[in-house]
Amino acid sequence: MSQTIPAFNNHLPVRVHFGEAGALRLAEIIRDLGATRVLVLLDEGIEDHNPAVVDALSALERSGLDVTRVAKPAGEPTIAMVDAATDQMREARADVFVAIGGGSVIDTAKAARLCGQLGCTFGEFLDSERRYPEAVVPLIAVPTTAGTGSEVSGGAVVSDPGNDRKAGIAHPHLRAQYAVIDPRLTRSMPGTMTANTGIDALAQAIAAIVAKVRTPIGDAIALEAVRLMGESLAAAYRDGDDHVARSKTACASMMAGLAMNISDCTAEHSLGQAIGGLTGAAHGLTIGLVLAETLDRERRFVPERLERVADALGVPEDGTGDGSRAVMAIRDLLVELDFPVLSDLGITEDDLDRLTDLALEDHFLTMSPSPWSREEVRGVFERALELRSRQPVPAT
């Protein structure tokens, strides 16, 4: 039976600049903001392997602006990294922040800007009532990966190694004011990182369609993100200099970030973040380890939505109508990407109860179209752990 479209609200005030060589225009954007003192937070060592970043930084420093560089250590952002960046931002007294790097750098910049404005450490913020004031200092996010979509999202995920978990925060006021997506900056990504980040973006786009808080605007953006990533990720993995594939994955990543913020993530992120909290593994990698298995469960409740995902991925009709086409397409893509399996991280059956506990505590699980039981969560981890290699497996 046809139903009216439920009421929804969307608020995404991020100015997006997309295109080749866009990062060379940073000084122009900064001057438009009326800023003169710039703090640039970037991945440690990124200039050693990313010539496009070198060009962007050189152009910025030649502009006459007062530029201070701060390097973020490698790895997922931690509470200690956020606190260090907060101190460095405060000392620089910058009137604009620029984050150049992957989602971990951009997330660090968001969290540090918030804590600097509130005058607290990140741990103190987590223990507080979590007030999110409108940002005083603008943030320009310049991604060098095609994955999290953090450049347009209002979320940040920070690891808490002492508790084997990741702390996610989200609010519209966390968002950057500008997102500068220059596909050239992603060409230096190695194949493994390309696969990990691309799977994360694809998972976000699919989740935005599956989530119980989905909206028509989110669906439209998410389905195009699925189409773009589905037709380009394997090509970008095989050839990092494929400028067409890099352009499509960069655009898909940004759109998936928008779709995630209009809608939400679901079970794949809860289970993936549980793995990340326990092992410290890269975010996109952990999502891909359980993506097919979580979708195989979700399709039983929203088969029609996963049929739309399958169509966006270009999978031929097979008459099933149960969403299994989408699950098989994801499994086939993971094969093409030579994606690892859960046991490759050293996870054993002894870890499954802890992983299940961590996943059940995570917010994203509540966004799934139907509540998950403990047995279902553990069952997904069990099925992922049974895999010893990436081979095509029929949907159950």
Side-chain angles (χ1 to χ4, degrees):
M1 179 182 296
S2 296
Q3 296 179 332
T4 60
I5 295 174
F8 64 89
N9 297 292
N10 293 143
H11 184 207
L12 290 164
V14 181
R15 296 187 179 184
V16 175
H17 293 262
F18 180 91
E20 297 278 335
L24 300 177
R25 297 180 51 218
L26 281 172
E28 177 184 333
I29 295 171
I30 290 167
R31 287 201 172 93
D32 286 345
L33 288 167
T36 58
R37 296 189 308 278
V38 188
L39 183 140
V40 179
L41 182 68
L42 67 164
D43 277 310
E44 188 173 63
I46 193 171
E47 296 161 88
D48 296 335
H49 60 81
N50 194 321
V53 167
V54 174
D55 291 344
L57 288 170
S58 298
L60 183 58
E61 292 178 331
R62 289 195 307 268
S63 69
L65 295 167
D66 182 357
V67 179
T68 299
R69 297 193 198 182
V70 173
K72 174 201 161 292
E76 299 285 309
T78 64
I79 291 177
M81 289 180 192
V82 170
D83 290 344
T86 300
D87 291 340
Q88 291 160 328
M89 285 180 169
R90 187 181 297 115
E91 291 169 7
R93 302 182 65 184
D95 47 17
V96 64
F97 300 139
V98 178
I100 302 177
S104 65
V105 169
I106 298 173
D107 281 6
T108 300
K110 292 177 188 174
R113 178 179 64 161
L114 173 67
C115 291
Q117 187 167 327
L118 292 175
C120 65
T121 66
F122 191 72
E124 289 169 343
F125 174 76
L126 292 177
D127 292 336
S128 72
E129 296 179 357
R130 301 199 183 187
R131 183 169 59 91
Y132 295 88
E134 188 170 354
V136 173
V137 180
L139 171 63
I140 302 171
V142 188
T144 58
T145 62
T148 68
S150 185
E151 67 271 15
V152 292
S153 81
V157 178
V158 179
S159 295
D160 182 2
N163 291 312
D164 292 339
R165 69 183 66 201
K166 295 187 177 184
I169 60 174
H171 193 277
H173 288 163
L174 279 178
R175 291 193 184 101
Q177 280 57 57
Y178 282 83
V180 178
I181 300 98
D182 181 345
R184 296 181 318 137
L185 272 60
T186 70
R187 292 185 193 171
S188 65
M189 275 196 298
T192 297
M193 184 181 294
T194 297
N196 291 348
T197 57
I199 282 294
D200 184 27
L202 183 58
Q204 288 177 350
I206 296 173
I209 299 164
V210 170
K212 66 183 183 182
V213 291
R214 57 184 278 265
T215 74
I217 295 174
D219 283 0
I221 297 173
L223 286 166
E224 180 65 0
V226 169
R227 185 187 72 82
L228 288 170
M229 191 62 79
E231 69 183 23
S232 60
L233 178 54
Y237 170 71
R238 290 191 298 267
D239 180 5
D241 290 323
D242 185 332
H243 68 280
V244 173
R246 288 298 194 191
S247 179
K248 289 181 177 181
T249 54
C251 189
S253 173
M254 179 268 294
M255 294 180 73
L258 286 173
M260 175 189 67
N261 266 232
I262 291 171
S263 178
D264 217 327
C265 291
T266 51
E268 76 296 324
H269 268 66
S270 290
L271 275 69
Q273 288 182 168
I275 298 168
L278 192 64
T279 66
H283 176 72
L285 167 61
T286 66
I287 303 301
L289 293 174
V290 292
L291 179 57
E293 289 76 18
T294 55
L295 291 177
D296 203 23
R297 184 270 186 186
E298 304 290 42
R299 73 180 179 86
R300 302 177 191 280
F301 299 93
V302 286
E304 72 289 347
R305 298 186 202 174
L306 285 168
E307 283 294 296
R308 297 182 71 190
V309 169
D311 290 340
L313 288 169
V315 183
E317 286 278 1
D318 64 2
T320 59
D322 60 4
S324 58
R325 288 188 300 142
V327 177
M328 285 304 303
I330 296 300
R331 285 180 168 145
D332 289 345
L333 178 58
L334 292 169
V335 172
E336 283 194 81
L337 298 174
D338 305 308
F339 215 82
V341 293
L342 187 55
S343 59
D344 291 333
L345 270 61
I347 296 290
T348 69
E349 190 170 350
D350 291 340
D351 298 310
L352 296 187
D353 285 333
R354 177 60 175 156
L355 287 173
T356 301
D357 290 339
L358 291 171
L360 287 168
E361 294 171 4
D362 191 84
H363 161 76
F364 289 130
L365 198 70
T366 67
M367 293 294 104
S368 285
S370 180
W372 282 67
S373 68
R374 180 181 181 82
E375 291 72 23
E376 286 177 314
V377 172
R378 198 180 195 282
V380 163
F381 283 129
E382 288 173 350
R383 288 190 290 279
L385 189 58
E386 288 171 359
L387 295 177
R388 288 294 175 262
S389 64
R390 288 290 169 187
Q391 296 297 331
V393 178
T396 58

